Amino acid sequence: MPRPTVAQLAYGACTVVLSTLAMLLLSQTSSGPAIAVIAVAGLVLGLLVALTVPLPKQRTSVLDQPAPTERVPASVTSAAPAEPVRERAAS
């Protein structure tokens, strides 16, 4: 299973906090078991939102693609003569 993205974590956390706060304010409950049920419902809703956020599409890199099958003839040579690489002196 892939790791959650930053967007998934942010959406899930905001959903947990805001939905739990809204349910507590709307229900006006003060009993312990009711608060626990609302908190669990907020966590489940946040988890559902975090899992349904679309995952980023996997990028295809050049390394994943197959190499071209076209071959270069051996008679083709470089246009420039081979010279040793010269390093610049640090100034």
Side-chain angles (χ1 to χ4, degrees), residues 52-81:
T52 57
V53 172
L55 293 173
K57 295 181 180 178
Q58 293 181 354
R59 298 179 187 163
T60 57
S61 67
V62 177
L63 298 177
D64 292 340
Q65 297 174 353
T69 57
E70 184 179 322
R71 295 180 183 236
V72 178
S75 62
V76 176
T77 59
S78 173

Side-chain angles (χ1 to χ4, degrees), residues 7-78:
Q8 287 176 311
L9 293 174
Y11 284 140
C14 289
T15 302
V16 168
V17 171
L18 294 177
S19 65
T20 304
L21 182 64
M23 286 187 282
L24 285 172
L25 290 175
L26 291 173
S27 68
Q28 297 179 353
T29 186
S30 59
S31 68
I35 292 174
V37 167
I38 290 174
V40 169
L43 286 173
V44 169
L45 187 61
L47 181 64
L48 181 68
V49 167
L51 291 178
T52 57
V53 172
L55 293 173
K57 295 181 180 178
Q58 293 181 354
R59 298 179 187 163
T60 57
S61 67
V62 177
L63 298 177
D64 292 340
Q65 297 174 353
T69 57
E70 184 179 322
R71 295 180 183 236
V72 178
S75 62
V76 176
T77 59
S78 173

